[in-house]
Amino acid sequence: MSNLLEIKNLRTTFSTMQGKADAIRGVDLQVKENEILGIVGESGSGKSVTMKSVMGLLPRSAKVTADALIYKGEDLTKKKEKELRSFRGREMAMIFQDPMTALNPLRTIGYHLTEVICRYRKVSKKEAEAIAIEMLRQVGIPSPEERMKQYPHEFSGGMRQRVIISMALCCEPSLLIADEPTTALDVTIQAQILDLLKQLKQDRGMSVVLISHDMGVMANMCDRIAVMYGGVLVEEGKVDEIFYQPKHPYTKDLLRSIPRPEVTRGARLQAIDGAPPTLHNMPKGCPFATRCQYATEKCFEIMPETRVFSDTQNAKCHLLTGKEE
Amino acid sequence: MLKYLIKRLLQAVPLLLLITILCFVLIDLAPYDAMDAKVTDKMTPAMIEQMREEAGLNDPLPVQYLRWLKNLLKGDLGQSLINKTDIATDLKEKIPNTIKLVLPSYITAFLLAIGLGLLAGRYKNTWVDKLINSLASIGLAVPTFFVALLFIYYFGLKLDLFPVMGMNSLGEDSFEDFLHHLVMPYSVLVIGFLPDLTRYVRSSTITQFDEDYVTVQKAFGSSAGTILLRHVSKNVLLPMITKLGMALPMLVTGAVITETVFAWPGIGVYFTNAIRSLDYPIVMAVLVLSGTLVILGNLISDILCAVIDPRIRVGR
Ligand SMILES: Nc1ncnc2c1ncn2[C@@H]1O[C@H](COP(=O)(O)OP(=O)(O)O)[C@@H](O)[C@H]1O
Ligand SMILES: [Mg+2]
């Protein structure tokens, strides 16, 4: 499968009150055609910033550099803001964690949808409305005609997330980035939204980047998984590889922290000890060194090289003995 | 909606009563009353006492208050102690003059503030924003009377462009003459109203641009300009309606200082004169009037919001 998006050496730095903060420290990542790629990691590990950097959605205080961001053969780093804008939505759309605040409270759902439709297609207002209603129906919103006239506050969280997904579908993007799309929702609604995303990927041949801190969600949804920690991509591999032969100590810890039904009741859920380092006291070397039980002095000082274990799996850790890249 | 309206109106009644009571008690505490103004050297204490009795000033306070309130409700605001004129008649003559000055100034400032505030908020931290914001800060710090004096000195005396006093030249009452007199106090008032409003619009624009829905719009390919016009502006303008309602009392007391400096024949001069000469009935009348307008203004802005904001509209 060919690459839809290829990120090469992405670095993102925020200027903050306390000085410069390196949020992303050299991430390489590919999104292939028609796959669901999961990005997993504790909160603060840089998942959102990575994808927002690619989309160009960060505030001015962020400085984004990359050797290349190849999308469908074109390098986005060489494009002007105006050209990038036409990529957003039509080529790659992004939906976010909190559906409650993602829509303008003073505009109807119909307004939101027809606005994006008219931006990308030369259609009349009537036709745009027809398309919008069809999209709402496709994402499973009952009686879409009436819903069009309603305001966001008249929708439940799950329904709003559906509206936002339908907004993305109106643009017919090739890549949908879903940043913790179900974290703010009830468990049953979560499953419905995830099913919807999976179905859209199959029906439309889209690629999906699914960001989550929930390993359980990842197992059900993804083709491949990228594990992030402290602004570094520490491990990457197919779902089976990550779940059955995890290499990086952090990945292993993450897997241990999944609640398992088969484990005897009363056994304690294992949380990872300690807290992630903040951006201002990040070790020079491996970001996980401060919490890793195997860490040596070298781990704190030198950023580990990528070790390759198969065509699809690699990890960054000094203690691993895979092939060097 | 009707139910909401009636509820709000009923809630306003006790507030209004409270205002009248407060005014009345405050004035009663003051060491001087209507009779002291009439007393002359030739009167004996007995005569004075008799006059007080006749005027009802020796009645207990609540009785006096109710009498005053009854007259107030009939539209009788009493008489000026100094000029013996009927206050209601005076106000009917002065208030329109004040409105002629304040209304155009406030509307101008309001519209300008929306434009400048949105611009500054959209281009936060750029030179445009810094310029607008520092001018607004300076404007806030400089007192109105000082601006008025500067205007009088430069445009009135040095350049002799505009008249510095009054609303009309003596014996003239053409519209052009009026406009000619209006320019300076109008400009001073616009400058007075503008900074606060601009900063308000700017900060709410900045707040709105930080909202999630703006990021979402960006993620769907909207330009910042489109987001400003189609999404942010609506969210910024809605609370501005509240401001508009609350500005209602300004129509009476919004220009006291400016009117005084320019000798504009509105409420301002009338009110300051009354204060200076301890003309209590006038002071009371103006206080009650502006207090009433404050409550009315709040009521109007709440109702407007309820009509316009879909979130409240549905929840009623
Ligand atoms: N606008 C910002 N300014 C400064 N630091 C930021 C900003 N946005 C994110 N960060 C920092 O970047 C790091 C990664 O954040 P993020 O990508 O949101 O984490 P997550 O993996 O939970 O999505 C965090 O340490 C966060 O504090
Ligand atoms: Mg995040």
Side-chain angles (χ1 to χ4, degrees), chain A residues 43-44 46-49 52 97 179-180 211:
Chain A
S43 95
K47 309 181 293 291
S48 304
V49 171
K52 281 184 180 170
Q97 175 170 346
D179 188 351
E180 314 218 17
I211 297 177

Side-chain angles (χ1 to χ4, degrees), chain B residues 63-218:
Chain B
V63 177
Q64 287 190 43
Y65 168 72
L66 286 177
R67 186 162 52 223
W68 176 70
L69 191 65
K70 212 172 87 196
N71 287 336
L72 201 65
L73 290 176
K74 281 192 294 193
D76 177 5
L77 299 177
Q79 278 189 354
S80 158
L81 296 182
I82 314 291
N83 306 321
K84 310 285 184 284
T85 49
D86 181 52
I87 297 176
T89 321
D90 286 350
L91 290 183
K92 272 193 207 106
E93 183 198 323
K94 310 277 179 194
I95 289 179
N97 290 345
T98 298
I99 292 179
K100 274 186 229 164
L101 173 62
V102 176
L103 196 62
S105 317
Y106 196 81
I107 291 175
T108 311
F110 194 77
L111 296 178
L112 268 179
I114 289 174
L116 291 173
L118 285 174
L119 193 70
R122 156 73 179 83
Y123 292 104
K124 181 179 123 185
N125 288 338
T126 63
W127 67 268
V128 189
D129 175 37
K130 280 178 188 151
L131 183 72
I132 293 176
N133 202 24
S134 16
L135 285 180
S137 302
I138 295 172
L140 271 186
V142 177
T144 313
F145 78 87
F146 185 70
V147 179
L149 291 177
L150 280 183
F151 267 59
I152 288 178
Y153 180 67
Y154 278 106
F155 302 113
L157 301 179
K158 253 192 144 168
L159 302 175
D160 200 18
L161 288 176
F162 302 104
V164 297
M165 272 180 73
M167 194 167 80
N168 293 102
S169 308
L170 221 57
E172 276 262 6
D173 60 351
S174 68
F175 187 59
E176 272 144 299
D177 183 57
F178 164 73
L179 282 185
H180 202 210
H181 281 80
L182 184 66
V183 173
M184 287 221 290
Y186 162 84
S187 313
V188 169
L189 269 186
V190 170
I191 293 174
F193 290 140
L194 196 55
D196 177 49
L197 288 171
T198 305
R199 281 165 56 114
Y200 182 81
V201 177
R202 173 184 179 269
S203 77
S204 76
T205 306
I206 290 173
T207 315
Q208 286 298 327
F209 262 107
D210 282 342
E211 292 284 327
D212 286 349
Y213 73 82
V214 171
T215 315
V216 171
Q217 286 298 325
K218 243 173 112 181

Side-chain angles (χ1 to χ4, degrees), chain A residues 11-24 46 48-50 52-53 57-64 279-280:
Chain A
R11 291 175 182 275
T12 302
T13 305
F14 289 103
S15 334
T16 67
M17 300 281 201
Q18 297 100 321
K20 294 233 177 294
D22 295 323
I24 306 298
S48 304
V49 171
T50 302
K52 281 184 180 170
S53 300
L57 292 179
L58 290 172
R60 275 166 206 265
S61 63
K63 193 169 165 292
V64 178
L279 292 183
H280 295 285

Side-chain angles (χ1 to χ4, degrees), chain A residues 85-100:
Chain A
R85 200 191 303 146
S86 66
F87 267 78
R88 287 184 209 127
R90 192 173 49 180
E91 289 296 343
M92 34 179 141
M94 186 159 179
I95 64 176
F96 300 91
Q97 175 170 346
D98 191 356
M100 300 315 262

